[in-house]
Amino acid sequence: MEGYPAIEDHGLIGDLQTAALVTCDGTIDWFCAPRFDSPSIFCALLDKDKGGFFQIAPHEVRYVTKQLYLPGTPILITRFISADGVAEVMDFMPVTGERVTDSHRVVRMVNMVRGTMRFRVECRPRFDFARESHELERHRNGYLFRSRSATLAFNPIDPVRQLWAKTGEIRMEDGDLIAYGTLQEGDTGGVVLETGSEEPRIIPPEEVQGMFEWTRDYWRRWVERSRYTGRWREMVERSAITLKLMTYAPTGAMIAAPTAALPELVGGSRNWDYRYTWVRDTSFSVHALLGLGFTEEVSRYMDWLDERIREAGDHQDPLKIMYRVDGSSDLHEEVLDHLEGYRGSRPVRIGNGAADQIQLDIHGEALYAMHLADEQGIRVSHQVWKSTVRLIDWLCHNWDQRDAGIWESRHHPRNYTFGRVMSWVALDRAIRLATRTGRPGDMSCWTEQRNRIYNQVMARGFHRERGSFVQAYDENVLDAALLYMPAVGFVTPTDPLWLSTLESIERDLVSDSLVHRYDPVHSPDGLPGHEGTFNMCTFWYVEALARSGRLDDARLTLEKMFTFSNHLGLYAEEIAATGEQIGNYPQAFSHLALINSALAVNDLLDAEASARLRR
């Protein structure tokens, strides 16, 4: 369908409370405010005609574009190159900090590097996923878009005359703002969009420069805290910045992705809202962040997770699989029938109905994160430990049941092997924590149930005829989630049972080094159609290869995977058969798994090199 940019043709900017996507042609086509999970202001990504956008681009000029990040930052530079001139649009959002606010700024600075270029500026907001009408007000020093529930100020950057020289070149059209202006070499201009503002104003250039320098210095200071000095440093640091951009500073919670309803198959119905915090995703990120030395981020997330464990433990309930960034759990799913969806991919969903599923594995991810944090001196309080004990006691009595699994199947519940493995992890790490810290717990019960799970997985989770661990008991379907088994210590990476599992996964789920998470034809998940290869699983495959002694294969697979990132080093959820990125974007799963696999392969390569020197 014409009119939609490729998912990968976007850069991400953000202020640690919300984020926006900017295309290679200078269009903001996704922006929700005041939080990641708030209603949208621009969502042309989900409907090119109705969704709304904000574009600054050359007008009636043939040009090519190049896009890059200012090194060490998420400040995005879009370059427009023509025979007559070169211009740059610099997009960023000043960091808001840990105080919750409705005021969020998107700074768009235009700089004419060489020659002359005429620009078109179109600001067409469509509030609340194009469900709210709005009015455009002309003020003395700018413009204000006003809907029933939100405002958006259009604040020109001084000198105003350089980007729009004549009053006649700015017009209001059915609630939208369209402007034209010509820049000469050395000219600058731009605009600051601000949510929650009632009075537009002209922004002095020194104020914009101050915002730029503060934002640049904030991010570079943050990146400098990384202790990673190994191979692939640029990819690792870009992934770390991307994970940080998806973290809600007031609570420390990390969202799965800043977008909603981007399809796992273009034209298909696997279109989910990922603007929430999954216990699984963020707990996986603890290993990556600790590996880079970002203990402050881990500590903030653990505070958020501790609250969720207290809520669950105090009510003797399991953890919910996902929450809003503030910890609330109302994620009512609804379909936006008035939007056509990305390239016709319907339905367009916001909210997430999977929030109320039982997924046993999340307790393992949560306790694994708690265990890793504790090893780094990030310890839970007495009250949180009491709630953890109640949660583990609940798991002792409830692990042996069918659940929806890590992939959130909307088909019937099953006895998922991965859910049992991670339940084993939860009990094992709880035992280790209690032993290390001397804190109380029903160790005999925990140990007994841990051992029961282990024996059951070995008896029922391994398919003898297939020679592989399988997705669910009494079935012969494979699941790439099983690639995580050696990483958590359930099996050793050289165990014959594991090596035969790895061979089976390679034979059935790996395609040119890319990994499908499962085969929906043989493992019905309640949805029609198929999907692409899953990026996180490919990175898990890299780590599994490396730990199984196939270091050369691991390194080559990792290098191949880097070629599937976009021009900025960003990854969506999946890779289509065409090589395009698909699914919500960028995806935390993909970036945290990249970091973990790069850390593991780098360490093993260093160990191999050291061994050669000793010989």
Side-chain angles (χ1 to χ4, degrees), residues 220-290:
R220 286 184 172 170
R221 284 193 301 268
W222 184 81
V223 169
E224 287 170 359
R225 289 169 42 205
S226 171
R227 65 187 181 205
Y228 183 75
T229 58
R231 303 164 183 83
W232 314 295
R233 183 172 178 177
E234 185 174 344
M235 293 297 291
V236 167
E237 288 189 349
R238 181 53 55 193
S239 288
I241 290 172
T242 304
L243 292 179
K244 178 72 170 175
L245 277 173
M246 290 191 278
T247 301
Y248 185 66
T251 63
M254 182 186 295
I255 58 170
T259 56
L262 290 182
E264 297 173 17
L265 171 68
V266 173
S269 61
R270 299 168 183 264
N271 318 316
W272 315 110
D273 189 347
Y274 278 11
R275 299 172 300 147
Y276 309 111
T277 298
W278 269 254
V279 169
R280 176 186 304 110
D281 301 40
T282 316
S283 296
F284 279 148
S285 75
V286 167
H287 186 269
L289 293 172
L290 287 176

Side-chain angles (χ1 to χ4, degrees), residues 61-77:
V61 176
R62 294 188 64 178
Y63 62 86
V64 296
T65 65
K66 304 291 181 182
Q67 206 171 48
L68 72 155
Y69 279 120
L70 187 70
T73 79
I75 297 172
L76 186 65
I77 302 170

Side-chain angles (χ1 to χ4, degrees), residues 102-103 144-145 151-153 155 194-200:
D102 289 340
S103 177
L144 185 70
F145 299 91
T151 60
L152 180 70
N155 304 305
E194 185 173 6
T195 64
S197 174
E198 291 286 340
E199 188 59 40

Side-chain angles (χ1 to χ4, degrees), residues 315-450:
H315 292 90
Q316 295 185 325
D317 288 331
L319 282 169
K320 288 186 174 292
I321 69 166
M322 71 180 92
Y323 301 83
R324 293 187 181 272
V325 290
D326 62 0
S328 59
S329 56
D330 178 16
L331 278 71
H332 172 68
E333 184 172 298
E334 58 182 313
V335 172
L336 304 181
D337 286 324
H338 64 291
L339 299 180
E340 72 173 2
Y342 178 79
R343 296 186 180 178
S345 303
R346 304 184 72 182
V348 174
R349 297 183 179 92
I350 58 172
N352 201 306
D356 294 323
Q357 288 183 347
I358 294 292
Q359 296 177 20
L360 293 170
D361 68 279
I362 62 169
H363 303 95
E365 285 103 17
L367 265 293
Y368 190 37
M370 186 183 292
H371 166 71
L372 291 173
D374 184 84
E375 288 184 323
Q376 299 297 318
I378 303 170
R379 298 197 164 93
V380 300
S381 67
H382 167 68
Q383 187 58 49
V384 171
W385 179 251
K386 286 174 61 179
S387 299
T388 302
V389 168
R390 285 193 283 269
L391 184 65
I392 296 300
D393 287 344
W394 178 91
L395 187 62
C396 274
H397 295 95
N398 291 276
W399 64 263
D400 196 11
Q401 63 173 295
R402 297 170 181 265
D403 71 329
I406 181 176
W407 308 127
E408 300 174 0
S409 171
R410 299 201 175 193
H411 201 44
H412 59 81
R414 299 153 75 192
N415 291 309
Y416 285 99
T417 303
F418 185 77
R420 299 300 201 278
V421 169
M422 295 308 293
S423 294
W424 176 91
V425 171
L427 289 161
D428 181 72
R429 287 351 183 239
I431 292 166
R432 296 191 197 190
L433 278 164
T435 302
R436 183 165 63 237
T437 61
R439 286 178 167 173
D442 191 349
M443 301 288 279
S444 61
C445 177
W446 296 357
T447 302
E448 178 187 357
Q449 295 305 313
R450 181 195 63 180

